[in-house]
Amino acid sequence: MTAQDDGIPILQVGEGALIQPPDLEAFRAFNRAKTKALVDKLTDERDAIDRFVADGDYVGFELYGTVRCPMGLTRALIRAGRRRLRIAGQGVHEADLLLAAGMVTDIDFTYIGQEVYGVSDCVRRALESGAVGEVVEWSNAALSWRFKAAAMGVPFLPTRTLLGTDTLRRSAAKVIACPFTGIPLALLPALVLDVGFIHVHRADRFGNCQIDGISGFAVEMARASRRLLISAEEIVETDAIRRQPDRTLIPYYLVDAVVHHPFGSWPGEMGGRYERDTEHYRMFLEWQRTAEGAERYLADWVHAVPDHAALLEKVGPEHLAALRLDRPEGAAR
Amino acid sequence: MTAQDDGIPILQVGEGALIQPPDLEAFRAFNRAKTKALVDKLTDERDAIDRFVADGDYVGFELYGTVRCPMGLTRALIRAGRRRLRIAGQGVHEADLLLAAGMVTDIDFTYIGQEVYGVSDCVRRALESGAVGEVVEWSNAALSWRFKAAAMGVPFLPTRTLLGTDTLRRSAAKVIACPFTGIPLALLPALVLDVGFIHVHRADRFGNCQIDGISGFAVEMARASRRLLISAEEIVETDAIRRQPDRTLIPYYLVDAVVHHPFGSWPGEMGGRYERDTEHYRMFLEWQRTAEGAERYLADWVHAVPDHAALLEKVGPEHLAALRLDRPEGAAR
Amino acid sequence: MNDRPYSASELLICLASRLMDDRTTAFIGTGIPMLAASLAQNRHAPDLVPVFEFGGTGAILEKLPLAVGDMRTYHRAIAASGICDIMETAQRGFIEYGFLGGAQIDRYGNLNSTSIGDVRRPKVRLPGSGGANDVGSLCWRTIAILHHDRRRFVDTVDFVTTPGFLTGPGAREAAGLPRDTGPYRVVTNLAILGFDEVTRRMKLLSLNPGVTVQQVIDNTGFELLLADPIGHNDPPTAEELALLRERIDPDGLYR
Amino acid sequence: MNDRPYSASELLICLASRLMDDRTTAFIGTGIPMLAASLAQNRHAPDLVPVFEFGGTGAILEKLPLAVGDMRTYHRAIAASGICDIMETAQRGFIEYGFLGGAQIDRYGNLNSTSIGDVRRPKVRLPGSGGANDVGSLCWRTIAILHHDRRRFVDTVDFVTTPGFLTGPGAREAAGLPRDTGPYRVVTNLAILGFDEVTRRMKLLSLNPGVTVQQVIDNTGFELLLADPIGHNDPPTAEELALLRERIDPDGLYR
């Protein structure tokens, strides 16, 4: 027995709020009740949002920037008018739209911006005005590891990031001295989402999903979500899943609804399928500079159409066809 | 601030020895010094063992039972006569042979047996006689999570297994009250291997590896190993790796040596390639019942041949051909 | 049991199989649970999801696996991942049943598969926990399958490899094991046993064909609770035996 | 700089590129680091291993990525995994360099990309850490690329998003950050700066073409240490410019 066996010192406690405190026992009970049967979950976007997303939910989106984002589902969520959402601010373009639509009360924040194009004016307006309540700071790794903790079914993960910074001070992490090595570690609390939204290359109607190329944080977020909504470029037969079970990143029992959304990441890109619609995205960037412009964007490109299929019609088949890639990158099929 | 912010109580400390204490700073420094260049690492088994395995090393093997085991490398290790090895006792058939050869001083033990065929007499002789020094108890998940902690670069992972049992009492885990939820958690110390041995379906000469079907704990163990020796059924061009980068489970920079070992898991199976040689395995089970039989097995089936290629000749091409599968299972290529 | 048209193993397989509900997840270990799972898939539980600790989820058990990692554990499976993913899935509460074996069991369902005698200098060194401790810790309901005699059903196990109800009511929760989990059934060559909801002690639920209560008591090294009434387990049906012998294990690997 | 045959961006790209050693791993962020990495691969560092936080490792940067997750970050890559794998690889000590930007930097190389003014009611809310804190915490050597003026090179950053040497010698280690890590270079439109081995304070190392020491001092909001002697950075070569303009960014996306 060493001295530290008497107890582990807590060296620092982040002052940020724990917006979604981890309750692993409740998560286990919820997961137990989810059906393990192979039932058809293919539905339309409106039904998926209606049945599985409530006002006040804590929600998260994968992937990042304008890459493989569940934009079709995000627009459906905005049309459905869900309110007082709390979000993991790592999705970027979806978060932009939700903030523009005034749907967000609290954010676990790591990055909401336009990457090479700089700051997001939607974020600036929402946060500089105080319209958003809790804003708790994290890093990309920290938020991903928080999902991973939930995915592992443990209430925290120890890490060596955040330490010594204001990011940690404004987070809800705790710093302890390691009981095995004595080094300080930042403990990141598990983040269990009420609803996760993920866009994938292909899924079967039961919810088994494959993703080509990088997997971002899909594996972790899918497992950290109580309810999980999937949009997919392509719906495949289960036989295609069973032929290559080592490609199933998200097994069906995690999934509540599957929505068929070709060009579901538009105006973002989808690896091996289509490029980002930079022309449209630049227009969005231009419009979002003012609150009026952002509202006009939502009116024209979200509310003006009833659903994703109608939006694709509005964008135009020729325009979309020009974004298509001839040759797949990353994962050859 | 809550009461527990004053410190975290340590509720229990396993009485087992920490055979390989985690030192994350040393691991980082070691990993920094490994080459990141694409250099040719293809070599023969003797050279790989000579250069990368020393007496006293802590070593580990993947996968389990008689499935995708690096048996060619294990036999080379026995021929090389390495001594005083400390091992993660999760590899099963390799561990059997190393114990029979008297090469092991300490074991982090989870399972060494013959699955449906019952106990291992090599294990019984070694442990009941006291020939092995430290024997520390874990579970399969616990040992895998210890690799995962090392793979994540953190000194421990919290888990909800082992709790309340003699397995925990005879382990080196520590039980704390979670600083976020208050529930007791078993903290498993990271396990950094001096040398890891993994057999894969295909690798390029730089060490990039693909595995078909289940991945066992290859992903974690590869990342938990200071030095990593790979044997592969097939050596492929790097172009095959770059065409499907999402299939690279072990990237080259982790790897120190690549050995081409067709039938490298023999007498075990290799998913989609060949079945277990049950006839030979049953013979081994029969022989290993006595110390003399086990010695005879090592003499006849390890020391009698200079290397893996010679062993395959001894087993006989027709015998091996009969083990081949016509149709791949699991992952269609 | 030579006068019966089925073997002791076949009875155990059928009893275990009938406990496997359709549309549930079950951790499957080597041997009898594999046969039982295959029988269940072929009979009453086509959507049983077998989970194997080294990565196979939702395999179609057309060919009988020989080991928990072999390629039949992910034959036409839903997913083939790795042990951490599987164990974390259990830790998150997704795995309903876990099947276990062991050399000793006590009244609280604690199991020993580590050693007979002191573990530091064992009289018999057993193969060790493997995934058993994890299955017993993380699944909702565990089902043990054992041969029923006084060497195995003991007052105190030499080593608690895998947690049952530990020292009794509340002990699992106090140790930090997930809430509402624990031993559910013990299937033996004599009977099916369960656990009292309040005392957590083992209770005789139903007898195998031709077995008496006294026989069970005589072969148990601790005081058993008795259900009232005590039920009777049906012998293997002709359908079950035909499936087992003709489709599932035609080579008699496990007979 | 209109009298020069290269733009300010092109100079930054070339300076950053020359810092990328062959056969090393480098975390690449959006913008200038992407161009610099591509230039390095095309010129002196064919075996540079670009690492992108959302999973791309060892891509061949034939086409310029537009975002840290886009498909060009894993074009003909060695591996395409996910953010946890990449960040854990950094945490294990495998990533040598990390490139960073920011709105403010102080003498110890601490970076702010979170907010101007109090973060609880910011004057300007910036995009946030993203992966910056992780890169600054877990890589061995970080290289910041910034525009050089007194609004950015400040005495005290409004918010330490990403750790430099924090409050000075020993502070990183005391906070628990991995040993021997920290800021290595700051590349600006005026100069290349480093950090004193003992005091950990920022030090002017070498000047860009046509820039004077006084200009650098005038544009820095804290006292700079000065190397002795102070070096001079070569302008972009014709080869570098040709590669940039003709092969790497022919459409002038980043010009």
Side-chain angles (χ1 to χ4, degrees), chain D residues 1-20:
Chain D
M1 303 193 191
N2 278 339
D3 55 335
R4 298 219 175 77
Y6 53 86
S7 72
S9 296
E10 285 171 335
L11 176 60
L12 280 175
I13 293 163
C14 293
L15 295 178
S17 174
R18 294 171 195 163
L19 290 172
M20 294 176 176

Side-chain angles (χ1 to χ4, degrees), chain D residues 132-239:
Chain D
N133 180 293
D134 312 307
V135 169
S137 297
L138 304 175
C139 293
W140 291 99
R141 298 190 274 189
T142 57
I143 297 171
I145 304 175
L146 282 91
H147 189 83
H148 207 140
D149 62 41
R150 280 179 170 259
R151 284 192 311 132
R152 291 184 172 85
F153 283 68
V154 296
D155 187 68
T156 311
V157 295
D158 292 0
F159 191 95
V160 179
T161 307
T162 300
F165 289 111
L166 299 173
T167 54
R172 280 180 75 93
E173 293 75 8
L177 290 166
R179 207 180 292 155
D180 295 332
T181 59
Y184 173 63
R185 291 287 183 269
V186 182
V187 179
T188 83
N189 52 315
L190 299 182
I192 293 179
L193 307 98
F195 294 85
D196 184 74
E197 293 268 312
V198 177
T199 66
R200 298 307 200 185
R201 285 173 49 195
M202 202 185 291
K203 181 194 267 185
L204 174 57
L205 297 182
S206 55
L207 296 163
N208 291 354
V211 175
T212 65
V213 173
Q214 193 57 46
Q215 251 180 295
V216 177
I217 290 173
D218 288 347
N219 282 285
T220 303
F222 51 81
E223 197 190 335
L224 267 183
L225 303 181
L226 303 178
D228 181 17
I230 289 170
H232 291 275
N233 305 322
D234 289 333
T237 64
E239 184 205 3

Side-chain angles (χ1 to χ4, degrees), chain A residues 268-313:
Chain A
E269 71 157 58
M270 193 71 182
R273 299 251 168 175
Y274 48 87
E275 299 262 17
R276 179 167 78 189
D277 187 345
T278 298
E279 185 185 324
H280 183 91
Y281 187 58
R282 282 192 172 141
M283 186 193 80
F284 163 75
L285 292 175
E286 189 58 38
W287 289 19
Q288 60 93 45
R289 290 200 182 154
T290 66
E292 299 69 36
E295 268 172 43
R296 184 155 58 96
Y297 183 85
L298 293 176
D300 281 13
W301 292 99
V302 179
H303 294 293
V305 290
D307 59 22
H308 185 65
L311 182 75
L312 296 187
E313 277 306 310

Side-chain angles (χ1 to χ4, degrees), chain A residues 126-163:
Chain A
L127 271 64
E128 292 166 17
S129 69
V132 172
E134 297 288 350
V135 179
V136 184
E137 304 295 325
W138 305 92
S139 64
N140 280 354
L143 258 190
S144 301
W145 280 326
R146 292 189 64 198
F147 293 139
K148 184 165 181 165
M152 293 179 66
V154 294
F156 69 83
L157 281 179
T159 67
R160 308 192 69 186
T161 194
L162 300 186
L163 294 158

Side-chain angles (χ1 to χ4, degrees), chain D residues 31-79:
Chain D
I32 286 170
M34 288 177 177
L35 290 134
S38 180
L39 180 57
Q41 270 192 352
N42 274 285
R43 210 177 60 101
H44 64 281
D47 279 355
L48 174 75
V49 184
V51 179
F52 295 92
E53 62 189 292
F54 287 100
T57 299
I60 295 174
L61 299 173
E62 279 165 11
K63 294 181 196 167
L64 209 54
L66 302 170
V68 290
D70 86 20
M71 63 188 101
R72 293 158 182 197
T73 65
Y74 54 92
H75 172 71
R76 295 188 55 69
I78 286 297

Side-chain angles (χ1 to χ4, degrees), chain A residues 100 213 221 238 301 305 323:
Chain A
M221 208 183 85
T238 297
W301 292 99
V305 290
L323 302 173

